C-alpha cells in the first residue's frame, strides 16, 4: 500500500483525544514537564472536537469555595446520592478540590462567565452550575493546549495502544492513521493519557433515518476511550451504569437551565404532577433511596417512563409561565443556541413558541460515558492522601496498565465532573504522568517492528477487503462476503437495544437476554474481520465501530454481573428487580484478557467519605431502630 | 439533510472540511464545492456553518421530524467577540439573538508554561496543580484535604 509510515519518537506524554480532558492534560503537562515532549493525537480538529464542539451554556461543576458556597465533600455527597451510592469518592473529592482553580483560569483566558449583578458572584444556574456564554469554550481551551503541546496532530484516528515488550502490562505509545492522507502514524511514548471521550450510538436511537445523528452525546463520541483501554487490558469499572436522559423530545435540548434557572416543571398529559404516583413502587424497589434529596435522576426517569406506560403521556415541560418574562425567554433560547442548536432548529421548524405551548419531554436511548451523571470508565488509582489501599497504586488517574492514564469520560467512578471536572482530571493525570517519568518508571521500553507491522496490517484490512470483494457483485452495498461499517453499527445497536435494555425494551433485560446478546456480539466481532471501507472516511467509521463494540461487550458483561436493579430508570434487571445493598453495595470491575478475549469480573469495596453529617445520620438511624 | 451547501455561494475553500468533527464535509470532485457526505452522522453542531467565510452552509432540520420552511442562521465574529443568531420560524416570524464569545483578545491571556518559574520539589511532591493553591479561592487558603475537612474514608453504607 502506498501509505507512508510516520514515526514520532521520544514522546514523554502522548495525549489521545483533545476534548475537555485532553486539553487539560496537555496544558498542565507543560508545567510539570517543562523539558518534556508533549504530543496530542486528535481524530478531528482540536478547535471543534469532542462533546463541547458546539459550545456550552453552563459549567456544571463549580464549587464556589471562593464565595463560600460549597466544599468538595458536599459535591461528593451530591454525586454519590445521585448515583445511588456507586462512585469513587476519593477521585471525586480530588477533582472537586481542584475544579475551581480550573474555572478561574478559564475566566482569565477570556471565557465569558456571567455574574450575579447584585452579589458579584458567578451567576448560578443551580447549586453546582454556573452560567457562561460558552460558544467558544472549545476554541479557548484548545488554544491553551496548543500553547503547551510540542505538536498537535489533527485528524489522526488512534486505533490501538502500543505495549512494551520488555515489561509486562506497560504502555509504550499508540498507533493510528491520518484520516486525510491515510498515512500510518506510530507514536512511541513513555506515557499515554487516554482522553478520547465517551460513547454515543451504542444503542439503537429513537430517531430514524436522517435524524440518526441527532443523539444527545455527540455522534463522534465513539467510545474510543473505552475501546483503547479495554484492548490494552486495563481494568474497567461501572460499565453497566449507562445513562438515560430525560430531554426535550427529538431535539434532545438540555433541561438543566430550564429546571434550575427558568423554574419550568413537568406534568403528565392530564396536566398533573406525576412523580408522586410512583413513590410507593420506588420505595419497594430501592427503599430509603427514594427519600433522598435531591431525588436521584434515575428515579425521576422511572416515574416518567412508568407514567407514559400507564397511558398518561406525553410528559410536558411547562414553559408557558416562565417564558412570559422576556429575560427568561431569551435565556431559554440562548441555552439551546449555545449548546444544542438542533433544538432551536426543531422549534423553528415546528413553529413551537414555548411562551404559547408546552414542549414534550421524553427519555433517550442509553449512553455510555463517565463525566456527566454517570460513572463508566477505567479503574484508576486515586491520590495518595485520600485513597484507601484498594484504590491506590502509585499515580493519580493511572489505570491498571503502567504508564497509561485516563481522565474525563475515560476515568470511571467519577460522575458529575462535566466539562470543568474533565479538564481538571486531565490536569491531575498530566502531573502524575510527569512524576511517573521522573521516578524512572518508563525506562527501557521495547517495541518490536513486528508489533507495529501487525497493527499496520490490521488497520488497513478493511480497505483491502473492499478491494478484493467489491467486484463480487454488480453494484450496491449488499455483498455476501463483506460488511460495511454502517451495517455493523446498526447490527450492534439492535443487539444492545433488544438484549441489553434499550428504548424499545423500555430498558428491561435479564440474564437470559444478556447471554444471548453476548453471543450475538461475539458473532458480530467475527464478522467484523470482513469489515470493508471504500475510502479513508469509512476506514475511520470501521475503527470507531471496533471501539463501540468493545464498549458494548463491557456494558453487557457488567450488566450481567450486577444482579440487582441499582438504577431504575436507567435499566432494569427483570430477574433482579430490586436494589440489593447487602450484596451489591460494591463497585464492579472487569478485565478483558487481550490475548484470549476472555472477560473476568470482580467486586471492589466501596469506601465512603464520612464526616459529621454521616455520623449524625447514623446516630439518628440507630435511635429510630 | 442537516447541513447543505448553496451551490452559488461555495468557493471550495475547504474550511468546513477542515473543521467538521464528524469528518462529513467533503469537496465534491466534479463540482469542486463542499457537501455533507453522511447527513445521518451530522449533529447540527454548526461548526462548519460558523467557519464558512461565504455563509454558503445552512441547515435543514432532520427530515424524520422537522417540517420544512425554517432556518437558523449564524454569524460568528472573532474580532468583535460576538455571535449573532437569526431564527426563522416556519410561520415566517423572525427572532434575533446576540451573545459574547470571549472577553479577551484571542489567546493573549493564556500563559506559556514553559516560561513560568519551574515548580519546586515541594510542589512536585504535594497535591497542588499549576497556580495552586492561589487559584482555588484567590486567597491564601490551602488545598482541601480529608484532615482539613474532618473527614475519613470508610467502607460500608454511610448515608
Ligand atoms: C449536549 C451536551 C451538553 C452538555 N452540557 C454540559 C454543560 O452544560 N456543562 C458542562 O460542564 N458539561 C456539559 N456537558 C458534558 C461535557 O461536554 C463532557 O463532560 C466533557 O466534554 C467530557 O470530556 P472528555 O474529554 O472526556 O470528552 P470529549 O470532550 O468528548 O473529548 C474526546 C476527544 O477525543 C477525540 N477522539 C475520540 N476518539 C478518538 C480516537 N480514536 N483517536 C483520537 N482522538 C479521538 C475526540 O475527537 C474528542 O476531541 C455536555 C455534553 C453534551 C453532549
Ligand atoms: S467553508 Fe464554505 S465556501 Fe469553503 S468549502 Fe465549505 S461551504 Fe464552501
Ligand atoms: S453541523 Fe457539525 S457535524 Fe454537521 S456537517 Fe457541520 S460541522 Fe459537521
Amino acid at each position: 500500500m502506498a501509505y507512508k509510515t510516520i514515526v514520532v519518537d521520544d514522546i514523554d506524554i502522548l495525549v489521545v483525544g483533545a476534548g475537555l480532558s485532553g486539553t487539560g492534560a496537555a496544558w498542565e503537562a507543560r508545567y510539570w514537564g517543562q523539558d518534556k515532549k508533549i504530543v496530542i493525537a486528535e481524530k478531528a480538529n482540536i478547535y471543534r472536537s469532542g462533546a463541547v464542539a458546539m459550545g456550552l451554556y453552563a459549567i456544571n461543576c463549580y464549587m464556589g469555595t471562593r464565595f463560600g458556597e460549597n466544599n468538595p465533600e458536599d459535591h461528593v455527597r451530591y454525586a454519590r446520592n445521585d448515583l445511588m451510592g456507586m462512585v469513587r469518592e476519593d477521585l471525586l473529592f480530588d477533582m472537586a478540590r481542584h475544579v475551581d482553580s480550573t474555572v478561574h483560569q478559564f475566566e482569565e483566558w477570556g471565557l465569558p462567565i456571567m455574574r450575579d449583578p447584585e452579589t458579584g458572584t458567578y451567576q448560578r444556574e443551580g447549586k453546582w452550575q454556573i452560567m457562561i456564554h460558552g460558544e467558544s469554550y472549545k476554541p479557548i481551551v484548545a488554544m491553551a493546549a496548543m500553547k503547551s503541546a510540542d505538536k498537535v496532530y489533527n485528524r489522526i484516528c488512534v486505533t490501538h495502544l502500543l505495549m512494551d515488550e520488555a515489561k509486562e502490562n506497560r504502555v509504550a505509545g499508540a498507533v493510528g492513521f491520518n484520516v486525510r492522507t491515510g498515512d500510518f502514524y506510530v507514536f512511541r511514548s513513555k506515557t499515554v493519557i487516554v482522553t478520547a471521550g465517551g460513547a454515543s450510538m451504542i444503542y439503537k436511537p429513537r430517531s430514524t433515518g436522517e435524524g440518526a445523528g441527532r443523539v444527545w452525546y455527540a455522534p463522534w463520541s465513539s467510545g474510543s476511550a473505552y475501546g483503547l483501554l479495554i484492548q490494552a487490558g486495563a481494568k474497567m469499572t461501572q460499565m453497566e451504569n449507562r445513562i438515560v436522559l430525560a430531554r426535550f423530545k427529538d431535539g434532545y435540548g438540555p433541561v438543566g437551565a430550564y429546571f434550575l434557572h427558568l423554574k419550568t416543571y413537568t406534568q403528565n398529559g392530564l396536566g398533573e404532577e406525576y412523580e408522586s404516583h410512583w413513590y410507593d413502587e420506588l420505595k419497594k424497589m430501592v427503599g430509603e433511596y427514594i427519600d433522598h434529596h435531591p431525588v436521584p435522576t434515575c428515579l425521576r426517569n422511572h416515574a416518567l417512563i412508568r407514567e407514559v406506560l400507564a397511558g398518561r403521556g406525553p410528559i410536558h415541560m411547562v414553559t408557558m409561565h416562565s417564558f412570559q418574562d422576556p429575560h427568561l425567554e431569551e435565556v431559554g433560547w440562548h441555552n439551546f443556541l449555545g449548546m444544542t442548536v438542533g433544538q432551536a432548529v426543531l422549534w423553528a421548524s415546528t413553529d413551537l413558541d414555548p411562551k404559547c405551548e408546552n414542549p414534550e419531554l421524553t427519555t433517550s436511548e442509553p449512553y455510555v460515558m463517565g463525566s456527566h451523571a454517570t460513572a463508566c470508565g477505567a479503574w484508576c488509582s486515586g491520590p495518595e492522601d485520600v485513597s484507601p489501599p484498594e484504590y491506590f497504586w502509585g499515580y493519580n488517574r493511572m489505570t491498571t496498565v503502567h504508564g497509561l492514564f485516563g481522565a474525563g469520560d475515560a476515568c470511571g467512578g467519577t460522575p458529575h465532573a462535566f466539562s470543568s471536572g474533565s479538564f481538571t482530571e486531565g490536569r491531575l493525570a498530566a502531573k502524575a504522568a510527569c512524576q511517573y517519568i521522573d521516578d524512572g518508571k518508563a525506562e527501557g521500553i521495547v517495541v518490536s517492528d513486528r508489533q507495529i507491522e501487525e497493527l499496520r496490517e490490521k488497520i488497513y484490512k478493511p480497505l483491502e477487503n473492499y478491494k478484493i470483494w467489491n467486484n463480487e457483485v454488480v453494484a450496491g452495498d449488499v455483498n455476501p462476503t463483506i460488511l460495511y461499517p454502517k451495517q455493523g453499527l446498526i447490527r450492534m445497536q439492535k443487539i444492545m437495544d433488544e438484549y441489553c435494555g434499550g428504548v424499545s425494551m423500555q430498558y428491561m433485560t435479564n440474564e437470559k437476554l444478556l447471554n444471548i446478546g453476548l453471543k450475538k456480539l461475539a458473532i458480530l466481532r467475527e464478522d467484523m474481520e470482513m469489515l470493508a471501507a471504500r475510502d479513508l472516511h469509512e476506514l475511520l467509521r470501521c475503527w470507531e465501530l471496533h471501539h463501540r463494540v468493545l464498549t458494548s461487550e463491557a456494558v453487557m458483561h457488567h450488566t450481567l454481573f450486577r444482579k440487582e436493579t441499582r438504577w431504575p430508570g436507567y435499566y432494569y434487571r427483570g430477574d433482579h428487580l430490586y436494589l440489593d445493598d447487602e450484596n451489591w453495595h460494591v463497585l464492579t470491575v472487569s478485565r478483558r484478557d487481550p490475548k484470549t478475549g476472555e472477560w473476568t469480573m470482580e467486586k471492589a469495596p466501596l469506601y465512603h467519605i464520612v464526616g459529621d453529617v454521616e455520623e449524625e445520620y447514623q446516630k439518628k438511624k440507630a435511635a429510630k431502630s | 439533510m442537516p447541513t447543505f451547501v448553496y451551490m452559488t455561494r461555495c468557493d471550495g475553500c475547504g474550511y468546513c472540511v477542515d473543521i467538521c468533527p464528524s469528518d462529513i464535509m467533503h469537496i465534491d470532485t466534479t463540482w469542486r464545492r463542499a457537501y455533507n457526505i453522511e447527513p445521518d452522522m451530522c449533529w447540527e453542531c454548526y461548526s462548519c456553518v460558523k467557519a464558512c467565510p461565504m455563509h454558503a452552509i445552512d441547515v435543514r432540520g432532520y427530515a424524520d421530524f422537522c417540517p420544512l420552511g425554517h432556518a437558523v442562521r449564524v454569524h460568528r465574529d472573532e474580532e468583535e467577540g460576538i455571535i449573532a443568531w437569526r431564527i426563522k420560524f416556519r410561520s415566517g416570524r423572525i427572532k434575533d439573538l446576540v451573545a459574547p464569545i470571549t472577553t479577551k483578545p484571542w489567546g493573549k491571556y493564556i500563559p506559556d508554561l514553559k516560561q513560568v518559574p519551574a515548580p519546586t520539589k515541594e510542589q512536585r511532591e504535594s497535591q497542588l496543580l499549576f497556580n495552586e493553591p492561589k487559584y482555588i479561592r484567590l486567597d491564601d487558603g490551602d488545598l482541601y484535604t480529608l484532615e482539613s475537612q474532618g473527614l475519613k474514608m470508610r467502607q460500608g453504607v454511610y448515608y
Side-chain angles (χ1 to χ4, degrees):
Chain A
M1 216 173 299
Y3 298 129
K4 284 189 283 202
T5 295
I6 293 166
V7 182
V8 188
D9 254 330
D10 297 324
I11 305 170
D12 290 295
I13 295 174
L14 174 68
V15 176
V16 175
L20 256 288
S21 54
T23 49
W27 152 253
E28 183 82 20
R30 177 55 72 214
Y31 181 60
W32 303 101
Q34 287 180 323
D35 53 350
K36 290 192 169 44
K37 183 165 171 185
I38 303 161
V39 167
I40 293 175
E42 161 59 51
K43 86 171 165 182
N45 182 326
I46 186 169
Y47 264 106
R48 290 283 181 191
S49 66
V52 184
M54 229 187 289
L56 292 180
Y57 196 65
I59 286 177
N60 282 353
C61 184
Y62 176 73
M63 299 302 113
T65 49
R66 166 187 175 188
F67 305 115
E69 293 173 328
N70 304 292
N71 283 333
E73 63 272 24
D74 302 326
H75 188 260
V76 174
R77 291 187 181 107
Y78 162 69
R80 82 171 169 211
N81 173 51
D82 195 49
L83 274 280
M84 311 288 282
M86 306 291 108
V87 292
R88 277 283 301 273
E89 298 194 8
D90 57 329
L91 298 175
L92 276 175
F93 182 82
D94 190 36
M95 180 276 290
R97 64 180 170 171
H98 293 286
V99 73
D100 284 12
S101 84
T102 293
V103 174
H104 297 151
Q105 289 186 96
F106 289 164
E107 188 176 38
E108 194 169 282
W109 298 345
L111 183 69
I113 304 183
M114 295 180 218
R115 295 264 182 175
D116 184 318
E118 270 156 38
T119 58
T121 58
Y122 291 152
Q123 176 67 53
R124 282 284 180 190
E125 175 182 299
K127 191 169 166 57
W128 307 103
Q129 301 82 353
I130 55 173
M131 296 170 74
I132 59 173
H133 287 292
E135 189 278 335
S136 295
Y137 197 170
K138 188 66 214 291
I140 291 171
V141 296
M143 280 186 292
M146 287 160 73
K147 213 157 200 170
S148 275
D150 287 284
K151 178 117 180 119
V152 180
Y153 291 90
N154 282 324
R155 299 288 168 195
I156 305 288
C157 172
V158 173
T159 58
H160 302 79
L161 297 173
L162 283 172
M163 298 305 285
D164 178 23
E165 287 161 54
K167 191 171 166 223
E168 183 90 18
N169 198 33
R170 187 163 73 164
V171 80
V175 296
F177 65 97
N178 186 309
V179 179
R180 294 274 179 266
T181 64
D183 290 339
F184 177 59
Y185 275 75
V186 181
F187 299 96
R188 292 168 178 273
S189 184
K190 292 196 174 108
T191 62
V192 180
I193 304 179
V194 172
T195 41
S200 64
M201 295 194 159
I202 293 288
Y203 282 83
K204 189 168 111 189
R206 275 190 188 270
S207 301
T208 50
E210 194 180 274
R214 169 86 329 255
V215 281
W216 167 73
Y217 220 47
W220 42 85
S221 297
S222 49
S224 291
Y226 309 135
L228 291 168
L229 294 168
I230 291 168
Q231 271 178 151
K235 286 187 179 178
M236 306 299 288
T237 188
Q238 294 301 103
M239 293 298 286
E240 73 278 19
N241 183 202
R242 70 291 209 138
I243 186 171
V244 168
L245 302 112
R247 286 288 182 274
F248 288 107
K249 184 169 180 297
D250 297 333
Y252 289 12
V255 294
Y258 277 72
F259 278 130
L260 300 167
H261 187 66
L262 307 179
K263 305 289 179 221
T264 64
Y265 53 90
T266 55
Q267 62 186 26
N268 69 12
L270 306 174
E272 306 161 342
E273 180 282 323
Y274 61 88
E275 289 189 1
S276 56
H277 298 172
W278 304 99
Y279 176 84
D280 291 340
E281 179 175 284
L282 279 167
K283 184 93 186 178
K284 256 191 241 145
M285 292 175 84
V286 301
E288 57 131 11
Y289 285 82
I290 183 62
D291 299 320
H292 287 192
H293 290 285
V295 178
T297 312
C298 58
L299 304 183
R300 301 191 62 191
N301 275 2
H302 176 83
L304 194 159
I305 295 162
R306 296 283 288 148
E307 189 69 11
V308 172
L309 285 180
R312 292 189 291 270
I315 302 302
H316 282 122
M317 180 73 105
V318 182
T319 50
M320 282 163 66
H321 294 305
S322 304
F323 276 57
Q324 300 308 324
D325 176 338
H327 169 67
L328 293 186
E329 186 198 0
E330 188 159 326
V331 170
W333 282 101
H334 273 304
N335 190 54
F336 290 165
L337 298 172
M339 60 180 163
T340 312
V341 193
Q343 184 70 47
V345 174
L346 172 63
W347 283 4
S349 72
T350 50
D351 254 341
L352 190 143
D353 186 340
K355 260 197 315 236
C356 316
E357 192 182 333
N358 293 327
E360 282 176 52
L361 288 189
T362 192
T363 50
S364 73
E365 54 285 329
Y367 291 83
V368 184
M369 46 91 70
S371 65
H372 211 268
T374 186
C376 310
W379 184 240
C380 290
S381 175
E384 189 169 9
D385 67 330
V386 179
S387 306
E390 289 95 333
Y391 296 172
F392 179 73
W393 48 95
Y395 298 93
N396 205 350
R397 265 72 180 177
M398 190 168 85
T399 67
T400 53
V401 175
H402 299 289
L404 180 60
F405 296 77
D409 284 336
C411 178
T414 57
H416 293 279
F418 295 102
S419 60
S420 47
S422 295
F423 191 95
T424 306
E425 277 200 326
R427 298 176 66 195
L428 291 165
K431 180 177 181 186
C434 290
Q435 282 167 330
Y436 172 92
I437 297 168
D438 294 340
D439 290 349
K441 293 288 164 77
E443 301 297 322
I445 293 177
V446 176
V447 180
S448 64
D449 290 346
R450 214 187 83 209
Q451 185 182 161
I452 293 173
E453 217 25 66
E454 276 176 12
L455 289 172
R456 183 183 162 117
E457 229 166 83
K458 237 192 217 167
I459 289 175
Y460 292 109
K461 189 157 175 242
L463 290 172
E464 287 295 307
N465 283 344
Y466 176 72
K467 238 194 266 164
I468 297 169
W469 299 103
N470 163 44
N471 289 330
E472 194 182 7
V473 299
V474 178
D477 293 353
V478 186
N479 184 304
T481 313
I482 52 180
L483 189 72
Y484 290 101
K486 184 65 63 71
Q487 296 164 341
L489 178 75
I490 290 172
R491 186 175 342 155
M492 177 201 74
Q493 290 178 338
K494 191 171 158 63
I495 295 170
M496 291 304 285
D497 179 63
E498 294 177 347
Y499 296 96
C500 199
V503 166
S504 73
M505 297 293 283
Q506 294 300 334
Y507 315 108
M508 181 60 77
T509 185
N510 64 32
E511 187 176 329
K512 273 236 161 78
L513 285 166
L514 290 163
N515 278 320
I516 299 171
L518 277 171
K519 259 194 216 147
K520 287 182 187 271
L521 278 182
I523 294 168
L524 171 61
R525 276 174 57 81
E526 279 174 22
D527 283 1
M528 281 165 63
E529 286 296 310
M530 295 312 290
L531 269 179
R534 273 167 282 232
D535 50 28
L536 291 169
H537 174 73
E538 271 194 350
L539 189 62
L540 167 72
R541 294 289 183 248
C542 287
W543 285 102
E544 289 178 339
L545 180 64
H546 272 288
H547 295 158
R548 281 191 167 103
V549 170
L550 278 167
T551 307
S552 300
E553 266 184 48
V555 174
M556 282 261 194
H557 278 287
H558 275 256
T559 309
L560 185 60
F561 184 62
R562 186 181 281 284
K563 292 183 182 45
E564 64 162 351
T565 297
R566 172 65 52 172
W567 307 274
Y570 288 170
Y571 75 91
Y572 305 86
R573 273 289 301 256
D575 44 352
H576 299 279
L577 254 183
Y578 299 94
L579 182 144
D580 175 4
D581 258 344
E582 212 163 289
N583 297 300
W584 290 99
H585 197 87
V586 292
L587 296 168
T588 56
V589 178
S590 66
R591 181 171 185 270
R592 178 181 175 275
D593 186 325
K595 289 198 190 90
T596 63
E598 292 285 315
W599 288 81
T600 42
M601 300 292 314
E602 57 183 307
K603 291 180 179 180
L606 247 179
Y607 280 88
H608 294 297
I609 278 183
V610 182
D612 296 345
V613 179
E614 289 82 1
E615 313 258 53
E616 198 58 32
Y617 180 79
Q618 291 291 335
K619 258 189 230 147
K620 263 195 215 145
K621 213 164 132 184
K624 242 199 237 164
S625 63
Chain B
M1 63 141 82
T3 56
F4 62 92
V5 178
Y6 285 111
M7 188 74 165
T8 50
R9 287 197 206 150
C10 171
D11 67 4
C13 71
Y15 286 5
C16 56
V17 182
D18 205 34
I19 204 72
C20 173
S22 200
D23 187 40
I24 57 179
M25 291 306 284
H26 283 213
I27 302 284
D28 182 87
T29 45
T30 311
W31 299 106
R32 308 243 163 218
R33 291 177 173 88
Y35 77 114
N36 183 336
I37 61 162
E38 206 183 356
D40 63 357
M41 286 296 277
C42 176
W43 207 29
E44 292 182 352
C45 77
Y46 272 68
S47 299
C48 59
V49 184
K50 292 166 184 170
C52 175
M54 309 303 288
H55 290 292
I57 312 176
D58 209 340
V59 166
R60 191 272 279 131
Y62 304 104
D64 54 333
F65 52 83
C66 290
L68 298 175
H70 62 275
V72 176
R73 306 283 291 160
V74 64
H75 177 73
R76 180 175 179 273
D77 190 331
E78 289 202 354
E79 294 280 296
E80 297 283 324
I82 54 158
I83 188 157
W85 296 91
R86 167 160 287 192
I87 302 172
K88 184 179 148 270
F89 289 78
R90 183 174 158 89
S91 65
R93 196 163 62 87
I94 302 280
K95 198 168 180 55
D96 288 318
L97 295 117
V98 181
I101 57 175
T102 182
T103 60
K104 306 256 172 89
W106 290 98
K108 234 182 129 187
Y109 287 82
I110 299 170
D112 180 353
L113 297 185
K114 221 173 200 158
Q115 305 303 333
V116 304
T120 62
K121 190 162 172 291
E122 290 81 68
Q123 277 171 312
R124 284 180 191 281
E125 282 162 9
S126 75
Q127 294 293 333
L128 298 174
L129 295 176
F130 170 64
N131 260 342
E132 288 182 355
K134 176 77 183 160
Y135 267 60
I136 297 171
R137 267 169 304 189
L138 301 172
D139 62 15
D140 293 326
D142 208 347
L143 190 73
Y144 295 90
T145 61
L146 291 182
E147 294 74 57
S148 77
Q149 305 305 95
L151 303 165
K152 301 175 268 287
M153 285 293 258
R154 218 183 267 164
Q155 207 181 320
V157 191
Y158 272 99
Y159 43 88

